[in-house]
Amino acid sequence: KQEVTQIPAALSVPEGENLVLNCSFTDSAIYNLQWFRQDPGKGLTSLLLIQSSQREQTSGRLNASLDKSSGRSTLYIAASQPGDSATYLCAVPSGGSNYKLTFGKGTLLTVNP
Amino acid sequence: GAVVSQHPSRVICKSGTSVKIECRSLDFQATTMFWYRQFPKQSLMLMATSNEGSKATYEQGVEKDKFLINHASLTLSTLTVTSAHPEDSSFYICSALNLMRGATDTQYFGPGTRLTVL
């Protein structure tokens, strides 16, 4: 059974700092890995999707890396801003499907002005 | 990107009543929709997979008679929580994707529905 773990559970940083969020998964036979953002009481916003054949994806100040063999992914946020404050979730397909997602519990990020 | 809506966004009901939550794909045809549940400070947990025109498949531990899912068209799936109890209070999120040949198999998430059972 796929399990997804995110570390740290919470992170508080001053504005402008670069930071790294970590995600690990137990079954390395994944189709892809996604990072999402969730604001309090809201749905999910997809940030980056990395296919299993890729090593990283970049979008603006965000960079996600994937190391399938070690079962790890990182989300790097450069020059953090207060508007980046949210919960960040990573998810991988599991259960024999390329689309049924198993999520981590997320990292609650607070960027202080 | 494609848009998925959910209605209602919030609902409060009395214990024992049934609540229906709608998930709509607004600008694409969703052959498949997934229903997730999220308890406070917990991760999203997949409840069931809904395929248009067929019966939903439920994850282990999810009661199919309690959580009724109907996916009667390519743009609408409904989740009905029957005889709701306070422990059913949660955040319910749907996602939708198009698995027809030639379609982009990107999964889009709805904004969620907050259910509170008194």
Side-chain angles (χ1 to χ4, degrees), chain B residues 40-75:
Chain B
K41 298 186 179 181
Q42 298 296 315
S43 61
L44 278 78
M45 298 295 292
L46 179 65
M47 299 175 66
T49 302
S50 167
N51 292 301
E52 186 269 336
S54 62
K55 290 184 178 180
T57 56
Y58 292 80
E59 296 300 303
Q60 191 173 10
V62 178
E63 299 175 60
K64 63 179 182 179
D65 294 329
K66 181 169 183 63
F67 298 100
L68 302 179
I69 292 173
N70 184 284
H71 192 161
S73 77
L74 284 171
T75 59

PDB file of all heavy atoms in Angstrom, chain B residues 40-75:
ATOM      1  N   PRO B  40     -10.025  17.379   9.405  1.00  0.00           N
ATOM      2  CA  PRO B  40      -9.118  18.448   9.818  1.00  0.00           C
ATOM      3  C   PRO B  40      -7.694  17.962  10.055  1.00  0.00           C
ATOM      4  O   PRO B  40      -7.481  16.953  10.728  1.00  0.00           O
ATOM      5  CB  PRO B  40      -9.753  18.970  11.104  1.00  0.00           C
ATOM      6  CG  PRO B  40     -11.209  18.674  10.937  1.00  0.00           C
ATOM      7  CD  PRO B  40     -11.254  17.371  10.195  1.00  0.00           C
ATOM      8  N   LYS B  41      -6.759  18.659   9.463  1.00  0.00           N
ATOM      9  CA  LYS B  41      -5.336  18.380   9.604  1.00  0.00           C
ATOM     10  C   LYS B  41      -4.952  16.981   9.133  1.00  0.00           C
ATOM     11  O   LYS B  41      -3.936  16.440   9.561  1.00  0.00           O
ATOM     12  CB  LYS B  41      -4.885  18.606  11.049  1.00  0.00           C
ATOM     13  CG  LYS B  41      -5.069  20.047  11.514  1.00  0.00           C
ATOM     14  CD  LYS B  41      -4.489  20.285  12.877  1.00  0.00           C
ATOM     15  CE  LYS B  41      -4.671  21.747  13.285  1.00  0.00           C
ATOM     16  NZ  LYS B  41      -4.096  22.032  14.616  1.00  0.00           N
ATOM     17  N   GLN B  42      -5.766  16.420   8.282  1.00  0.00           N
ATOM     18  CA  GLN B  42      -5.463  15.109   7.705  1.00  0.00           C
ATOM     19  C   GLN B  42      -5.325  15.239   6.185  1.00  0.00           C
ATOM     20  O   GLN B  42      -5.707  16.248   5.601  1.00  0.00           O
ATOM     21  CB  GLN B  42      -6.577  14.109   8.041  1.00  0.00           C
ATOM     22  CG  GLN B  42      -6.753  13.851   9.521  1.00  0.00           C
ATOM     23  CD  GLN B  42      -5.530  13.201  10.144  1.00  0.00           C
ATOM     24  OE1 GLN B  42      -4.957  12.260   9.591  1.00  0.00           O
ATOM     25  NE2 GLN B  42      -5.118  13.710  11.289  1.00  0.00           N
ATOM     26  N   SER B  43      -4.788  14.205   5.579  1.00  0.00           N
ATOM     27  CA  SER B  43      -4.660  14.228   4.127  1.00  0.00           C
ATOM     28  C   SER B  43      -5.988  13.865   3.480  1.00  0.00           C
ATOM     29  O   SER B  43      -6.903  13.378   4.131  1.00  0.00           O
ATOM     30  CB  SER B  43      -3.577  13.250   3.689  1.00  0.00           C
ATOM     31  OG  SER B  43      -3.907  11.929   4.083  1.00  0.00           O
ATOM     32  N   LEU B  44      -6.068  14.135   2.208  1.00  0.00           N
ATOM     33  CA  LEU B  44      -7.248  13.725   1.455  1.00  0.00           C
ATOM     34  C   LEU B  44      -7.235  12.209   1.322  1.00  0.00           C
ATOM     35  O   LEU B  44      -6.206  11.623   1.000  1.00  0.00           O
ATOM     36  CB  LEU B  44      -7.244  14.338   0.057  1.00  0.00           C
ATOM     37  CG  LEU B  44      -7.729  15.763  -0.092  1.00  0.00           C
ATOM     38  CD1 LEU B  44      -6.658  16.738   0.363  1.00  0.00           C
ATOM     39  CD2 LEU B  44      -8.111  16.048  -1.533  1.00  0.00           C
ATOM     40  N   MET B  45      -8.394  11.611   1.527  1.00  0.00           N
ATOM     41  CA  MET B  45      -8.516  10.162   1.389  1.00  0.00           C
ATOM     42  C   MET B  45      -9.526   9.865   0.292  1.00  0.00           C
ATOM     43  O   MET B  45     -10.649  10.387   0.322  1.00  0.00           O
ATOM     44  CB  MET B  45      -8.990   9.530   2.706  1.00  0.00           C
ATOM     45  CG  MET B  45      -8.035   9.731   3.856  1.00  0.00           C
ATOM     46  SD  MET B  45      -6.463   8.894   3.610  1.00  0.00           S
ATOM     47  CE  MET B  45      -6.995   7.185   3.700  1.00  0.00           C
ATOM     48  N   LEU B  46      -9.123   9.024  -0.652  1.00  0.00           N
ATOM     49  CA  LEU B  46     -10.021   8.673  -1.740  1.00  0.00           C
ATOM     50  C   LEU B  46     -11.160   7.809  -1.206  1.00  0.00           C
ATOM     51  O   LEU B  46     -10.933   6.831  -0.492  1.00  0.00           O
ATOM     52  CB  LEU B  46      -9.251   7.903  -2.820  1.00  0.00           C
ATOM     53  CG  LEU B  46     -10.060   7.439  -4.011  1.00  0.00           C
ATOM     54  CD1 LEU B  46     -10.587   8.624  -4.812  1.00  0.00           C
ATOM     55  CD2 LEU B  46      -9.207   6.540  -4.916  1.00  0.00           C
ATOM     56  N   MET B  47     -12.377   8.197  -1.558  1.00  0.00           N
ATOM     57  CA  MET B  47     -13.546   7.431  -1.145  1.00  0.00           C
ATOM     58  C   MET B  47     -14.010   6.497  -2.252  1.00  0.00           C
ATOM     59  O   MET B  47     -14.306   5.320  -2.004  1.00  0.00           O
ATOM     60  CB  MET B  47     -14.700   8.370  -0.801  1.00  0.00           C
ATOM     61  CG  MET B  47     -14.432   9.330   0.334  1.00  0.00           C
ATOM     62  SD  MET B  47     -15.798  10.472   0.547  1.00  0.00           S
ATOM     63  CE  MET B  47     -17.098   9.367   1.070  1.00  0.00           C
ATOM     64  N   ALA B  48     -14.112   7.035  -3.468  1.00  0.00           N
ATOM     65  CA  ALA B  48     -14.696   6.233  -4.541  1.00  0.00           C
ATOM     66  C   ALA B  48     -14.339   6.818  -5.890  1.00  0.00           C
ATOM     67  O   ALA B  48     -13.998   8.000  -6.014  1.00  0.00           O
ATOM     68  CB  ALA B  48     -16.216   6.185  -4.385  1.00  0.00           C
ATOM     69  N   THR B  49     -14.441   5.954  -6.890  1.00  0.00           N
ATOM     70  CA  THR B  49     -14.237   6.337  -8.287  1.00  0.00           C
ATOM     71  C   THR B  49     -15.576   6.236  -8.995  1.00  0.00           C
ATOM     72  O   THR B  49     -16.262   5.209  -8.891  1.00  0.00           O
ATOM     73  CB  THR B  49     -13.232   5.407  -8.965  1.00  0.00           C
ATOM     74  OG1 THR B  49     -12.010   5.448  -8.240  1.00  0.00           O
ATOM     75  CG2 THR B  49     -12.995   5.836 -10.403  1.00  0.00           C
ATOM     76  N   SER B  50     -15.928   7.290  -9.701  1.00  0.00           N
ATOM     77  CA  SER B  50     -17.218   7.370 -10.379  1.00  0.00           C
ATOM     78  C   SER B  50     -16.992   7.426 -11.882  1.00  0.00           C
ATOM     79  O   SER B  50     -16.341   8.334 -12.379  1.00  0.00           O
ATOM     80  CB  SER B  50     -17.927   8.648  -9.897  1.00  0.00           C
ATOM     81  OG  SER B  50     -19.028   8.976 -10.688  1.00  0.00           O
ATOM     82  N   ASN B  51     -17.497   6.444 -12.596  1.00  0.00           N
ATOM     83  CA  ASN B  51     -17.395   6.421 -14.052  1.00  0.00           C
ATOM     84  C   ASN B  51     -18.767   6.641 -14.668  1.00  0.00           C
ATOM     85  O   ASN B  51     -19.754   6.036 -14.227  1.00  0.00           O
ATOM     86  CB  ASN B  51     -16.823   5.092 -14.540  1.00  0.00           C
ATOM     87  CG  ASN B  51     -15.373   4.918 -14.147  1.00  0.00           C
ATOM     88  OD1 ASN B  51     -14.521   5.728 -14.513  1.00  0.00           O
ATOM     89  ND2 ASN B  51     -15.077   3.874 -13.405  1.00  0.00           N
ATOM     90  N   GLU B  52     -18.821   7.491 -15.654  1.00  0.00           N
ATOM     91  CA  GLU B  52     -20.091   7.830 -16.294  1.00  0.00           C
ATOM     92  C   GLU B  52     -20.804   6.596 -16.812  1.00  0.00           C
ATOM     93  O   GLU B  52     -20.204   5.789 -17.530  1.00  0.00           O
ATOM     94  CB  GLU B  52     -19.845   8.830 -17.423  1.00  0.00           C
ATOM     95  CG  GLU B  52     -21.114   9.367 -18.068  1.00  0.00           C
ATOM     96  CD  GLU B  52     -21.576   8.559 -19.260  1.00  0.00           C
ATOM     97  OE1 GLU B  52     -20.730   7.883 -19.881  1.00  0.00           O
ATOM     98  OE2 GLU B  52     -22.778   8.599 -19.573  1.00  0.00           O
ATOM     99  N   GLY B  53     -22.051   6.448 -16.413  1.00  0.00           N
ATOM    100  CA  GLY B  53     -22.871   5.354 -16.903  1.00  0.00           C
ATOM    101  C   GLY B  53     -22.676   4.024 -16.229  1.00  0.00           C
ATOM    102  O   GLY B  53     -23.325   3.036 -16.620  1.00  0.00           O
ATOM    103  N   SER B  54     -21.826   3.964 -15.231  1.00  0.00           N
ATOM    104  CA  SER B  54     -21.637   2.690 -14.535  1.00  0.00           C
ATOM    105  C   SER B  54     -21.602   2.907 -13.029  1.00  0.00           C
ATOM    106  O   SER B  54     -21.544   4.037 -12.551  1.00  0.00           O
ATOM    107  CB  SER B  54     -20.363   1.994 -15.014  1.00  0.00           C
ATOM    108  OG  SER B  54     -19.234   2.777 -14.718  1.00  0.00           O
ATOM    109  N   LYS B  55     -21.618   1.803 -12.311  1.00  0.00           N
ATOM    110  CA  LYS B  55     -21.613   1.902 -10.848  1.00  0.00           C
ATOM    111  C   LYS B  55     -20.261   2.381 -10.345  1.00  0.00           C
ATOM    112  O   LYS B  55     -19.224   2.049 -10.903  1.00  0.00           O
ATOM    113  CB  LYS B  55     -21.933   0.548 -10.223  1.00  0.00           C
ATOM    114  CG  LYS B  55     -23.365   0.095 -10.418  1.00  0.00           C
ATOM    115  CD  LYS B  55     -23.614  -1.210  -9.691  1.00  0.00           C
ATOM    116  CE  LYS B  55     -25.059  -1.650  -9.827  1.00  0.00           C
ATOM    117  NZ  LYS B  55     -25.325  -2.916  -9.117  1.00  0.00           N
ATOM    118  N   ALA B  56     -20.304   3.118  -9.271  1.00  0.00           N
ATOM    119  CA  ALA B  56     -19.070   3.606  -8.675  1.00  0.00           C
ATOM    120  C   ALA B  56     -18.330   2.463  -7.981  1.00  0.00           C
ATOM    121  O   ALA B  56     -18.944   1.480  -7.548  1.00  0.00           O
ATOM    122  CB  ALA B  56     -19.382   4.704  -7.661  1.00  0.00           C
ATOM    123  N   THR B  57     -17.031   2.584  -7.910  1.00  0.00           N
ATOM    124  CA  THR B  57     -16.226   1.638  -7.151  1.00  0.00           C
ATOM    125  C   THR B  57     -15.709   2.325  -5.901  1.00  0.00           C
ATOM    126  O   THR B  57     -15.206   3.456  -5.961  1.00  0.00           O
ATOM    127  CB  THR B  57     -15.046   1.110  -7.979  1.00  0.00           C
ATOM    128  OG1 THR B  57     -14.266   2.206  -8.437  1.00  0.00           O
ATOM    129  CG2 THR B  57     -15.530   0.309  -9.154  1.00  0.00           C
ATOM    130  N   TYR B  58     -15.849   1.666  -4.785  1.00  0.00           N
ATOM    131  CA  TYR B  58     -15.547   2.275  -3.487  1.00  0.00           C
ATOM    132  C   TYR B  58     -14.243   1.729  -2.929  1.00  0.00           C
ATOM    133  O   TYR B  58     -13.896   0.561  -3.120  1.00  0.00           O
ATOM    134  CB  TYR B  58     -16.690   1.990  -2.508  1.00  0.00           C
ATOM    135  CG  TYR B  58     -17.980   2.710  -2.869  1.00  0.00           C
ATOM    136  CD1 TYR B  58     -18.823   2.208  -3.849  1.00  0.00           C
ATOM    137  CD2 TYR B  58     -18.322   3.892  -2.231  1.00  0.00           C
ATOM    138  CE1 TYR B  58     -19.994   2.868  -4.195  1.00  0.00           C
ATOM    139  CE2 TYR B  58     -19.482   4.560  -2.554  1.00  0.00           C
ATOM    140  CZ  TYR B  58     -20.319   4.047  -3.549  1.00  0.00           C
ATOM    141  OH  TYR B  58     -21.470   4.719  -3.884  1.00  0.00           O
ATOM    142  N   GLU B  59     -13.537   2.580  -2.220  1.00  0.00           N
ATOM    143  CA  GLU B  59     -12.313   2.165  -1.554  1.00  0.00           C
ATOM    144  C   GLU B  59     -12.673   1.345  -0.301  1.00  0.00           C
ATOM    145  O   GLU B  59     -13.788   1.440   0.233  1.00  0.00           O
ATOM    146  CB  GLU B  59     -11.468   3.367  -1.173  1.00  0.00           C
ATOM    147  CG  GLU B  59     -10.985   4.150  -2.369  1.00  0.00           C
ATOM    148  CD  GLU B  59     -10.120   3.321  -3.318  1.00  0.00           C
ATOM    149  OE1 GLU B  59      -9.087   2.772  -2.863  1.00  0.00           O
ATOM    150  OE2 GLU B  59     -10.483   3.218  -4.516  1.00  0.00           O
ATOM    151  N   GLN B  60     -11.709   0.563   0.104  1.00  0.00           N
ATOM    152  CA  GLN B  60     -11.928  -0.282   1.273  1.00  0.00           C
ATOM    153  C   GLN B  60     -12.297   0.567   2.481  1.00  0.00           C
ATOM    154  O   GLN B  60     -11.649   1.583   2.747  1.00  0.00           O
ATOM    155  CB  GLN B  60     -10.645  -1.072   1.557  1.00  0.00           C
ATOM    156  CG  GLN B  60     -10.812  -2.174   2.582  1.00  0.00           C
ATOM    157  CD  GLN B  60      -9.563  -3.033   2.690  1.00  0.00           C
ATOM    158  OE1 GLN B  60      -8.520  -2.705   2.150  1.00  0.00           O
ATOM    159  NE2 GLN B  60      -9.673  -4.143   3.389  1.00  0.00           N
ATOM    160  N   GLY B  61     -13.331   0.132   3.170  1.00  0.00           N
ATOM    161  CA  GLY B  61     -13.749   0.837   4.373  1.00  0.00           C
ATOM    162  C   GLY B  61     -14.789   1.913   4.139  1.00  0.00           C
ATOM    163  O   GLY B  61     -15.289   2.495   5.105  1.00  0.00           O
ATOM    164  N   VAL B  62     -15.123   2.188   2.902  1.00  0.00           N
ATOM    165  CA  VAL B  62     -16.141   3.202   2.596  1.00  0.00           C
ATOM    166  C   VAL B  62     -17.458   2.495   2.321  1.00  0.00           C
ATOM    167  O   VAL B  62     -17.531   1.626   1.452  1.00  0.00           O
ATOM    168  CB  VAL B  62     -15.733   4.053   1.379  1.00  0.00           C
ATOM    169  CG1 VAL B  62     -16.829   5.062   1.052  1.00  0.00           C
ATOM    170  CG2 VAL B  62     -14.415   4.757   1.647  1.00  0.00           C
ATOM    171  N   GLU B  63     -18.500   2.871   3.064  1.00  0.00           N
ATOM    172  CA  GLU B  63     -19.791   2.203   2.936  1.00  0.00           C
ATOM    173  C   GLU B  63     -20.541   2.702   1.714  1.00  0.00           C
ATOM    174  O   GLU B  63     -20.959   3.864   1.663  1.00  0.00           O
ATOM    175  CB  GLU B  63     -20.638   2.471   4.185  1.00  0.00           C
ATOM    176  CG  GLU B  63     -20.027   1.969   5.480  1.00  0.00           C
ATOM    177  CD  GLU B  63     -20.885   2.380   6.661  1.00  0.00           C
ATOM    178  OE1 GLU B  63     -22.055   1.982   6.693  1.00  0.00           O
ATOM    179  OE2 GLU B  63     -20.380   3.109   7.536  1.00  0.00           O
ATOM    180  N   LYS B  64     -20.766   1.835   0.760  1.00  0.00           N
ATOM    181  CA  LYS B  64     -21.423   2.253  -0.472  1.00  0.00           C
ATOM    182  C   LYS B  64     -22.891   2.599  -0.251  1.00  0.00           C
ATOM    183  O   LYS B  64     -23.454   3.410  -0.995  1.00  0.00           O
ATOM    184  CB  LYS B  64     -21.301   1.178  -1.543  1.00  0.00           C
ATOM    185  CG  LYS B  64     -21.991  -0.130  -1.201  1.00  0.00           C
ATOM    186  CD  LYS B  64     -21.833  -1.118  -2.351  1.00  0.00           C
ATOM    187  CE  LYS B  64     -22.545  -2.414  -2.048  1.00  0.00           C
ATOM    188  NZ  LYS B  64     -22.414  -3.392  -3.169  1.00  0.00           N
ATOM    189  N   ASP B  65     -23.520   2.012   0.760  1.00  0.00           N
ATOM    190  CA  ASP B  65     -24.926   2.314   1.011  1.00  0.00           C
ATOM    191  C   ASP B  65     -25.087   3.632   1.749  1.00  0.00           C
ATOM    192  O   ASP B  65     -26.195   4.184   1.799  1.00  0.00           O
ATOM    193  CB  ASP B  65     -25.585   1.194   1.809  1.00  0.00           C
ATOM    194  CG  ASP B  65     -25.651  -0.097   1.023  1.00  0.00           C
ATOM    195  OD1 ASP B  65     -25.763  -0.017  -0.222  1.00  0.00           O
ATOM    196  OD2 ASP B  65     -25.561  -1.167   1.634  1.00  0.00           O
ATOM    197  N   LYS B  66     -24.014   4.098   2.337  1.00  0.00           N
ATOM    198  CA  LYS B  66     -24.076   5.374   3.040  1.00  0.00           C
ATOM    199  C   LYS B  66     -23.688   6.532   2.127  1.00  0.00           C
ATOM    200  O   LYS B  66     -24.249   7.609   2.205  1.00  0.00           O
ATOM    201  CB  LYS B  66     -23.146   5.350   4.245  1.00  0.00           C
ATOM    202  CG  LYS B  66     -23.177   6.646   5.035  1.00  0.00           C
ATOM    203  CD  LYS B  66     -22.467   6.503   6.354  1.00  0.00           C
ATOM    204  CE  LYS B  66     -22.591   7.792   7.143  1.00  0.00           C
ATOM    205  NZ  LYS B  66     -23.993   8.108   7.475  1.00  0.00           N
ATOM    206  N   PHE B  67     -22.734   6.295   1.276  1.00  0.00           N
ATOM    207  CA  PHE B  67     -22.253   7.316   0.355  1.00  0.00           C
ATOM    208  C   PHE B  67     -22.653   6.905  -1.063  1.00  0.00           C
ATOM    209  O   PHE B  67     -21.930   6.196  -1.752  1.00  0.00           O
ATOM    210  CB  PHE B  67     -20.741   7.474   0.478  1.00  0.00           C
ATOM    211  CG  PHE B  67     -20.298   7.920   1.843  1.00  0.00           C
ATOM    212  CD1 PHE B  67     -19.803   6.999   2.760  1.00  0.00           C
ATOM    213  CD2 PHE B  67     -20.374   9.252   2.211  1.00  0.00           C
ATOM    214  CE1 PHE B  67     -19.395   7.408   4.028  1.00  0.00           C
ATOM    215  CE2 PHE B  67     -19.965   9.669   3.485  1.00  0.00           C
ATOM    216  CZ  PHE B  67     -19.475   8.749   4.391  1.00  0.00           C
ATOM    217  N   LEU B  68     -23.822   7.383  -1.476  1.00  0.00           N
ATOM    218  CA  LEU B  68     -24.367   7.015  -2.781  1.00  0.00           C
ATOM    219  C   LEU B  68     -23.804   7.929  -3.853  1.00  0.00           C
ATOM    220  O   LEU B  68     -23.879   9.152  -3.739  1.00  0.00           O
ATOM    221  CB  LEU B  68     -25.895   7.101  -2.759  1.00  0.00           C
ATOM    222  CG  LEU B  68     -26.610   6.231  -1.724  1.00  0.00           C
ATOM    223  CD1 LEU B  68     -28.105   6.441  -1.805  1.00  0.00           C
ATOM    224  CD2 LEU B  68     -26.259   4.775  -1.904  1.00  0.00           C
ATOM    225  N   ILE B  69     -23.268   7.333  -4.893  1.00  0.00           N
ATOM    226  CA  ILE B  69     -22.665   8.110  -5.974  1.00  0.00           C
ATOM    227  C   ILE B  69     -23.391   7.801  -7.271  1.00  0.00           C
ATOM    228  O   ILE B  69     -23.608   6.641  -7.614  1.00  0.00           O
ATOM    229  CB  ILE B  69     -21.169   7.801  -6.099  1.00  0.00           C
ATOM    230  CG1 ILE B  69     -20.434   8.338  -4.870  1.00  0.00           C
ATOM    231  CG2 ILE B  69     -20.592   8.422  -7.374  1.00  0.00           C
ATOM    232  CD1 ILE B  69     -18.988   7.948  -4.800  1.00  0.00           C
ATOM    233  N   ASN B  70     -23.744   8.883  -7.970  1.00  0.00           N
ATOM    234  CA  ASN B  70     -24.399   8.766  -9.272  1.00  0.00           C
ATOM    235  C   ASN B  70     -23.648   9.602 -10.283  1.00  0.00           C
ATOM    236  O   ASN B  70     -23.375  10.781 -10.040  1.00  0.00           O
ATOM    237  CB  ASN B  70     -25.855   9.225  -9.166  1.00  0.00           C
ATOM    238  CG  ASN B  70     -26.598   9.027 -10.472  1.00  0.00           C
ATOM    239  OD1 ASN B  70     -26.424   9.788 -11.407  1.00  0.00           O
ATOM    240  ND2 ASN B  70     -27.412   8.000 -10.529  1.00  0.00           N
ATOM    241  N   HIS B  71     -23.296   9.009 -11.417  1.00  0.00           N
ATOM    242  CA  HIS B  71     -22.559   9.730 -12.462  1.00  0.00           C
ATOM    243  C   HIS B  71     -23.337   9.536 -13.758  1.00  0.00           C
ATOM    244  O   HIS B  71     -22.937   8.778 -14.628  1.00  0.00           O
ATOM    245  CB  HIS B  71     -21.143   9.167 -12.544  1.00  0.00           C
ATOM    246  CG  HIS B  71     -20.200   9.987 -13.372  1.00  0.00           C
ATOM    247  ND1 HIS B  71     -18.828   9.864 -13.253  1.00  0.00           N
ATOM    248  CD2 HIS B  71     -20.404  10.935 -14.310  1.00  0.00           C
ATOM    249  CE1 HIS B  71     -18.246  10.698 -14.088  1.00  0.00           C
ATOM    250  NE2 HIS B  71     -19.181  11.355 -14.737  1.00  0.00           N
ATOM    251  N   ALA B  72     -24.463  10.232 -13.853  1.00  0.00           N
ATOM    252  CA  ALA B  72     -25.420   9.980 -14.926  1.00  0.00           C
ATOM    253  C   ALA B  72     -25.074  10.675 -16.232  1.00  0.00           C
ATOM    254  O   ALA B  72     -25.596  10.317 -17.282  1.00  0.00           O
ATOM    255  CB  ALA B  72     -26.816  10.390 -14.480  1.00  0.00           C
ATOM    256  N   SER B  73     -24.203  11.674 -16.178  1.00  0.00           N
ATOM    257  CA  SER B  73     -23.835  12.359 -17.413  1.00  0.00           C
ATOM    258  C   SER B  73     -22.344  12.640 -17.396  1.00  0.00           C
ATOM    259  O   SER B  73     -21.673  12.455 -16.374  1.00  0.00           O
ATOM    260  CB  SER B  73     -24.597  13.676 -17.544  1.00  0.00           C
ATOM    261  OG  SER B  73     -24.040  14.670 -16.707  1.00  0.00           O
ATOM    262  N   LEU B  74     -21.829  13.106 -18.520  1.00  0.00           N
ATOM    263  CA  LEU B  74     -20.394  13.356 -18.647  1.00  0.00           C
ATOM    264  C   LEU B  74     -19.964  14.654 -17.985  1.00  0.00           C
ATOM    265  O   LEU B  74     -18.794  15.026 -18.069  1.00  0.00           O
ATOM    266  CB  LEU B  74     -19.985  13.360 -20.120  1.00  0.00           C
ATOM    267  CG  LEU B  74     -19.900  11.985 -20.771  1.00  0.00           C
ATOM    268  CD1 LEU B  74     -19.701  12.122 -22.281  1.00  0.00           C
ATOM    269  CD2 LEU B  74     -18.778  11.158 -20.168  1.00  0.00           C
ATOM    270  N   THR B  75     -20.908  15.352 -17.364  1.00  0.00           N
ATOM    271  CA  THR B  75     -20.538  16.595 -16.698  1.00  0.00           C
ATOM    272  C   THR B  75     -20.987  16.665 -15.244  1.00  0.00           C
ATOM    273  O   THR B  75     -20.737  17.655 -14.564  1.00  0.00           O
ATOM    274  CB  THR B  75     -21.148  17.815 -17.431  1.00  0.00           C
ATOM    275  OG1 THR B  75     -22.575  17.667 -17.457  1.00  0.00           O
ATOM    276  CG2 THR B  75     -20.600  17.934 -18.846  1.00  0.00           C
TER     277      THR B  75
END
